[in-house]
Amino acid sequence: MEQNTFSSLSRSSVIQEMEQESFDLLIIGGGITGAGIALDATTRGLKVALIEKNDFASGTSSRSTKLIHGGLKYLQNLDFPVVKETGSEREIVFNNARHLVHPIRMNFPLIKKESYNLATLKAGLTLYDRLAGVKKEERHTIHGKKQTMKNEPLFNKKIVQGSGVYVEYRTDDSRLTLEVAKTAQERGAKLLNYASMTDFIQDPNNQVKGVVAKDELSGRTLKITANHIVNAAGPWVDFVRKKDRPVTGKYMVLAKGIHIVFERNKLPVQSSTYFQHKGRMIAVIPRGGTTYVGSTESIYTEDIEDIHVNQSEVTYLLGCLKDMFPDLNLRISDVISSWAGVRPLIGEEGKSSAELSRHDEIFESDTGLITIAGGKLTGYRKMAERIMQYIEKKEKKKKTASITASVRLTGGNFSSSEEVEQLIRKLYGNYEHLGLSKQEVEDYVHRYGSNTEAFLKELANYDEKDLDKASRNIRAEVKYTVENEMVATLTDFYDRRTSYVLFDPDKVLGTLDAAAVEMADLLNWDNSTLKEEKRKALYAHHKAVTFLDK
């Protein structure tokens, strides 16, 4: 095993390197923001370290609506710079990770008594196309009521008056985060999950110059030193700030959002739909054999380490769906899984919750700790660039532009969407002896991209073992993700690397024993660790499929 691989088997050598080297930049937080900063900084030639107290993308970055938004909803607030930036960023993310980012037709129905009418929707979408630099073939179309009902017969004909159709991009947020992190590592950054920051190290001038961290898996303590420290801990940024200085001025306000998942045949929309319901935007997104719906938004003040979906939140989304698709008669028992997350909004004393900022902002304490908070999945590259330019300014250097727009993510070695399809056909033919369906090969390619063949070779090795097909597939996938994607727990595997817990929860129960045996063997777990890991995976499954009675 090479030492410089993104592997859980290399943890001890990564820890050793982190302790022995001094870094230009240390990032706290392994969500999309932290991973994006690591990639930007390392492509500029900096020595970079990143620590994450749980797993990569274990917070907000695996709990979004899973869209690379073009920023259409910001038009309502006349936030033109955000629309322009997110529109162009969307295209860059698509080009750099075509296996993970999929163009989808988004149906935007005009609804009686909501804020858009035909004229404002047409004006909005035309402006959006222009600001976002939308490609000619992806520009919007406007439809009257008759064509709208033809496009989507399930719509409520009593309230729908017409529609606009435009292109959005669907993604897998946790895998996008992982691929960004892995690409940073391949470029030279040192990254470690399950390493929680416990304290700051300060120089004689009271400037932060490092951290004390705890490896949550071995219990050992390590010290990491760096010239600059960036706190990119998402909803946890104030917890990190408090270890430095009491939080003054702006602070985090957490907004909770939930999503629910149905079998596709229960919610068989013709295409993705984004509709207004009493002013709130609701997305209905087909994904494989499922359709997911979200999101709610409410201020959250409870435990952010263990966020649950409440029954009242599910009931609210079912009510929205009932108004929009009255013939479907969806029930709570039709929901096959769900997820809940929080996003950090920026609050200030004296400002109401309606005035909370959804933009990213940078703060610096008098000890030199730099914090970035807020922002969205789509804008991760620009957030990273702003942090790097902030550091350059601090060092009195000339501002430079990021080069990550042209950095393909690992697994994203494709020049066109047709190349992704070609790879699916090629692998389906070349590995026919493995008995995989075309759909299974497609699912693997949409997960691992141009790295899929390396996984299928692993699968071929397991083919010689006396295993049923489901056990063979899951054990090979566990081995591949432990050795190549820093999987350290069963929940990492089932939730963030494969999303089985969200979109195929039955598979978790059906394969857990085989996955646990494989991981225990690879990571040398004793029996009590094995039992505890299975318990945690079952808890993740339980959280996805049951709702708190609130």
Side-chain angles (χ1 to χ4, degrees), residues 40 75 108 132 138 220 230 244 273 341 348 356 371 397 406-407 424 452 548:
D40 192 314
L75 270 184
F108 190 104
E138 293 188 355
R220 70 182 270 193
V230 171
D244 169 49
T273 299
E348 275 183 271
L356 295 170
T371 293
K397 288 180 179 170
S406 58
V407 174
I424 292 166
T452 307
L548 287 188

Side-chain angles (χ1 to χ4, degrees), residues 225-399:
T225 58
N227 294 334
H228 299 285
I229 299 177
V230 171
N231 168 18
W236 288 266
V237 292
D238 282 355
F239 291 81
V240 174
R241 288 167 79 196
K242 280 174 191 161
K243 291 181 190 289
D244 169 49
R245 285 283 184 272
V247 173
T248 56
K250 294 181 178 180
Y251 58 92
M252 294 309 104
V253 178
L254 303 180
K256 178 186 179 188
I258 75 135
H259 294 77
I260 54 178
V261 185
F262 299 88
E263 294 286 2
R264 181 76 187 268
N265 59 9
K266 289 284 184 186
L267 185 44
V269 285
Q270 298 297 308
S271 69
S272 297
T273 299
Y274 200 39
F275 69 94
Q276 285 186 301
H277 188 273
K278 297 175 183 170
R280 173 125 203 88
M281 298 306 303
I282 305 293
V284 179
I285 315 285
R287 182 192 189 274
T290 63
T291 306
Y292 66 91
V293 179
S295 141
T296 59
E297 187 169 278
S298 55
I299 298 302
Y300 185 77
T301 54
E302 295 169 54
D303 179 11
I304 62 169
E305 302 296 339
D306 191 27
I307 306 165
H308 289 258
V309 173
N310 297 336
Q311 198 161 316
S312 57
E313 294 165 324
V314 178
T315 305
Y316 165 76
L317 286 179
L318 287 172
C320 297
L321 292 169
K322 175 84 177 152
D323 289 348
M324 196 67 220
F325 309 106
D327 295 342
L328 289 181
N329 199 21
L330 292 163
R331 297 184 172 89
I332 206 159
S333 57
D334 294 323
V335 179
I336 62 162
S337 72
S338 63
W339 66 87
V342 289
R343 58 180 294 211
L345 308 179
I346 296 165
E348 275 183 271
E349 287 299 335
K351 285 201 173 181
S352 71
S353 60
E355 296 174 283
L356 295 170
S357 170
R358 281 158 168 74
H359 292 199
D360 55 283
E361 292 191 36
I362 297 171
F363 321 124
E364 185 179 354
S365 76
D366 58 7
T367 65
L369 175 67
I370 302 165
T371 293
I372 185 161
K376 287 181 72 62
L377 183 72
T378 311
Y380 81 87
R381 256 187 12 89
K382 296 308 267 185
M383 290 169 73
E385 183 176 36
R386 284 192 274 276
I387 275 286
M388 296 315 299
Q389 290 180 338
Y390 184 92
I391 289 170
E392 285 173 343
K393 190 178 173 189
K394 194 175 163 174
E395 290 186 338
K396 299 184 171 53
K397 288 180 179 170
K398 192 165 127 276
K399 260 191 189 182

Side-chain angles (χ1 to χ4, degrees), residues 159-225:
I159 62 169
V160 171
Q161 299 173 310
S163 63
V165 175
Y166 64 102
V167 170
E168 279 283 26
Y169 288 65
R170 197 192 77 234
T171 193
D172 180 328
D173 49 3
S174 52
R175 285 216 59 90
L176 183 67
T177 303
L178 180 88
E179 304 279 39
V180 173
K182 191 176 174 183
T183 309
Q185 187 271 339
E186 287 175 357
R187 295 287 183 126
K190 302 277 185 284
L191 293 90
L192 192 64
N193 52 357
Y194 295 101
S196 54
M197 190 281 283
T198 56
D199 214 347
F200 284 106
I201 300 166
Q202 294 187 340
D203 68 10
N205 299 321
N206 292 329
Q207 294 298 291
V208 291
K209 288 296 173 194
V211 302
V212 180
K214 181 187 175 191
D215 175 19
E216 297 291 344
L217 302 183
S218 68
R220 70 182 270 193
T221 298
L222 61 149
K223 289 180 179 176
I224 310 163
T225 58

